[in-house]
């Protein structure tokens, strides 16, 4: 009668969540203040959305939920996180410049979890801070799955080390409830080959294909291949390995059919053949030689043309005049407007610009003009160049200024 019950293995991937509150909250405020408020005051909502990554073994169990925040600034949000089951670690400023102790505390706790006896299978790092790149490398070397939640621009190396990145606009969609699709959990390493075929039998249309079809069929014109690839990978991270056995994105998207057409010209384009043809593709965009290319490579600024930056600022100013308080859909609307104007850009590029405007303390109001937006963004670009120790002569400085502003500051 008193025999102990045998231990059981509860379903779900054993996961750990480490949240750099200051970094994420600040990034979200620059993108969407309402989403930032939801992040800070209702962590259970988005944590549950991440837990519901699928069914059965595809769900997550967050055995560790840690939140690191500066109590001198954000103490009022502590009750929301403790109530949601998070362990809140105070990380006050330790230097005269205001640098908090979040980084060291987060890294120490994460390394303890990595070497612990529980066997964490998936690590979530909620921060766009590239200082955590080495930590992600440690997870990867130990054959653990890693997911980065970014609210802002993410350095290329940091992004590439992670198995999956929840982009800014996707995270905002989770926070605001504008997406019904949860962030899928990757199968544990020892189950990946088995889990894949089993899912294929139960789904008539793979999630990546379904997402691409819905996205392209509702787009206002041909869509840049990189944008389509991003949506496919977000819906089905398993495609990241070898695109479902097809090796590369172009081959994979070409075999989908269903009136989807693909062209490798100009970096790749996808369109709905029922509404568009190859004649609807925009004219080739001139490449940016010299100093502009160097700046984009070193600072991770989107490698757009001056014409594309100009179109972003013009579309953003127009949208702000229509709906000055609507930040949630601003990046999507500006992206769509640029595609319609024949200067296609990705939503990530628009989000990067919005993030830069936030760091430049520019207020997005209905009175903002394209020139004012361009000036604030250019100041941010120049600051990134300064921090990166890029040295230019007067002519190169002028070239960077004209490129970043889209020529709007010359008028």
């Amino acid at each position: 009668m008193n025999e102990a019950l045998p231990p059981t293995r509860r379903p779900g991937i054993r996961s750990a969540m480490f949240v750099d509150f200051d970094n994420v909250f600040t990034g979200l405020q620059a993108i969407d203040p309402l989403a930032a408020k939801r992040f800070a005051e209702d962590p259970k909502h988005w944590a549950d959305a991440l837990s519901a990554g699928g069914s059965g073994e595809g769900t997550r169990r967050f055995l560790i939920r840690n939140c690191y925040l500066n109590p001198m600034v954000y103490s009022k949000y502590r009750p929301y996180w403790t109530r949601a089951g998070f362990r809140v670690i105070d990380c006050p400023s330790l230097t005269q410049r205001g640098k908090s102790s979040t980084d060291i505390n987060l890294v120490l706790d994460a390394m303890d979890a990595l070497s612990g006896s529980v066997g964490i299978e998936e690590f979530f790092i909620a921060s766009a801070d590239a200082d955590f790149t080495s930590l992600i490398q440690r997870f990867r070397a130990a054959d653990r799955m890693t997911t980065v939640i970014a609210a802002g621009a993410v350095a290329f190396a940091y992004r590439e080390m992670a198995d999956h990145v929840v982009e800014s606009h996707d995270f905002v969609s989770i926070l605001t409830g504008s997406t019904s699709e949860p962030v899928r959990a990757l199968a544990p390493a020892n189950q990946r080959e088995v889990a894949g075929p089993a899912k294929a039998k139960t789904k008539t249309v793979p999630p990546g294909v379904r997402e691409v079809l819905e996205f392209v069929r509702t787009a206002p014109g041909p869509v840049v291949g990189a944008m389509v690839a991003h949506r496919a990978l977000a819906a089905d991270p398993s495609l990241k390995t070898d695109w479902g056995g097809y090796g590369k994105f172009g081959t994979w998207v070409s075999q989908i059919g269903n009136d989807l057409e693909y062209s490798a010209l100009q970096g790749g384009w996808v369109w709905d053949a029922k509404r568009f043809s190859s004649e609807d593709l925009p004219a080739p965009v001139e490449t940016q030689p010299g100093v502009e290319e160097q700046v984009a490579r070193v600072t991770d600024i989107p490698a757009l043309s001056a014409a594309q930056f100009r179109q972003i600022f013009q579309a953003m100013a127009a949208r702000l005049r229509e709906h000055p308080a609507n930040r949630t859909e601003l990046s999507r609307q500006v992206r769509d407007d640029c595609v319609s104007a024949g200067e296609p850009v990705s939503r990530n590029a628009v989000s990067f610009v919005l993030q830069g405007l936030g760091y430049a303390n520019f207020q997005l109001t209905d009175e903002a003009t394209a020139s004012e937006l361009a000036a604030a963004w250019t100041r941010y670009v120049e600051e990134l160049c300064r921090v990166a120790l890029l040295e230019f002569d007067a002519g190169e400085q002028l070239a960077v200024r004209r490129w970043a502003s889209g020529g709007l500051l010359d008028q």
Side-chain angles (χ1 to χ4, degrees):
M1 296 292 293
N2 296 324
E3 291 184 4
L5 293 175
T8 59
R9 168 72 163 85
R10 293 178 61 185
I13 294 175
R14 297 188 296 274
S15 304
M17 168 77 74
F18 300 90
V19 180
D20 181 349
F21 182 95
D22 301 29
N23 180 278
V24 177
F25 185 72
T26 302
L28 287 172
Q29 280 189 314
I31 300 171
D32 189 323
L34 292 178
K37 179 179 175 64
R38 188 71 182 274
F39 163 78
E41 298 182 356
D42 191 6
K44 184 179 186 302
H45 166 77
W46 59 265
D48 288 348
L50 294 177
S51 297
S55 59
E57 291 297 327
T59 58
R60 298 182 179 91
R61 293 177 56 226
F62 283 109
L63 305 184
I64 298 173
R65 295 187 183 192
N66 285 1
C67 172
Y68 304 82
L69 59 76
N70 186 339
M72 303 300 294
V73 183
Y74 300 115
S75 61
K76 66 178 181 179
Y77 297 115
R78 171 191 287 275
Y80 299 109
W81 291 74
T82 55
R83 182 178 180 182
F86 279 80
R87 172 178 169 241
V88 178
I89 297 90
D90 287 338
C91 300
S93 299
L94 301 178
T95 68
Q96 293 181 347
R97 304 181 104 186
K99 175 69 173 177
S100 76
S101 57
T102 290
D103 291 10
I104 186 63
N105 282 310
L106 191 155
V107 169
L108 289 174
D109 289 344
M111 291 304 296
D112 285 344
L114 179 63
S115 59
S117 59
V118 174
I120 298 297
E121 298 167 311
E122 184 179 27
F123 286 84
F124 274 70
I125 303 296
S127 177
D129 191 344
D131 288 347
F132 294 121
T133 302
S134 296
L135 180 63
I136 298 293
Q137 289 175 330
R138 287 294 188 96
F139 295 151
R140 195 177 187 91
D143 194 24
R144 301 299 201 276
M145 296 174 291
T146 56
T147 297
V148 168
I149 299 177
V154 182
F156 182 78
Y158 186 39
R159 176 191 301 276
E160 287 302 300
M161 285 306 303
D163 291 301
H164 182 53
V165 177
V166 180
E167 303 289 355
S168 302
H169 55 268
D170 291 325
F171 193 41
V172 168
S173 296
I174 293 173
L175 290 167
T176 57
S178 57
T179 178
S180 59
E181 194 72 23
V183 178
R184 290 176 175 79
L186 298 171
N190 61 357
Q191 299 176 8
R192 290 176 193 171
E193 294 185 0
V194 176
K199 288 185 179 180
K201 293 179 181 179
T202 59
K203 290 183 179 290
T204 56
V205 180
V209 173
R210 183 172 63 251
E211 175 68 19
V212 167
L213 288 172
E214 293 177 357
F215 178 47
V216 175
R217 286 172 176 170
T218 57
V223 186
V224 177
M227 295 161 56
V228 179
H230 168 72
R231 298 294 288 258
L233 292 172
D236 188 356
S238 68
L239 293 173
K240 188 174 184 179
T241 305
D242 63 350
W243 287 104
Y246 290 96
K248 55 186 180 180
F249 168 73
T251 307
W252 175 80
V253 76
S254 296
Q255 57 80 38
I256 291 179
N258 291 287
D259 295 309
L260 233 62
E261 294 289 341
Y262 171 77
S263 171
L265 297 176
Q266 306 174 39
W269 289 86
V270 184
W271 64 90
D272 179 4
K274 288 185 176 180
R275 298 183 296 141
F276 307 104
S277 69
S278 58
E279 296 180 356
D280 294 302
L281 295 180
V285 177
E286 295 182 4
T287 58
Q288 295 298 317
V291 65
E292 299 91 340
E293 182 180 352
Q294 180 185 3
V295 171
R297 185 172 63 249
V298 174
T299 64
D300 287 329
I301 290 171
L304 305 178
S305 68
Q308 287 173 310
F309 277 126
R310 182 189 185 96
Q311 187 59 49
I312 286 178
F313 301 132
Q314 291 175 337
M316 193 175 295
R319 288 293 181 178
L320 287 171
R321 286 195 297 272
E322 295 175 2
H323 304 287
N326 185 0
R327 302 291 188 269
T328 302
E329 294 298 316
L330 184 58
S331 61
R332 181 188 63 78
Q333 293 171 340
V334 171
R335 185 273 316 273
D336 291 345
D337 291 344
C338 290
V339 172
S340 299
E343 296 293 348
V345 298
S346 69
R347 191 169 180 180
N348 284 342
V350 179
S351 296
F352 194 109
V353 173
L354 284 170
Q355 180 82 6
L357 292 172
Y359 284 134
N361 295 318
F362 186 85
Q363 300 299 315
L364 299 177
T365 68
D366 58 349
E367 297 180 353
T369 66
S371 296
E372 291 171 342
L373 290 164
W377 164 253
T378 301
R379 290 196 300 273
Y380 175 65
V381 171
E382 291 172 340
E383 176 62 15
L384 288 182
C385 291
R386 186 190 66 79
V387 172
L389 302 180
L390 291 173
E391 297 182 359
F392 303 126
D393 58 30
E396 291 171 331
Q397 290 177 349
L398 180 59
V400 171
R401 185 176 178 82
R402 286 176 171 170
W403 166 65
S405 67
L408 288 172
L409 301 186
D410 295 338
Q411 299 178 355

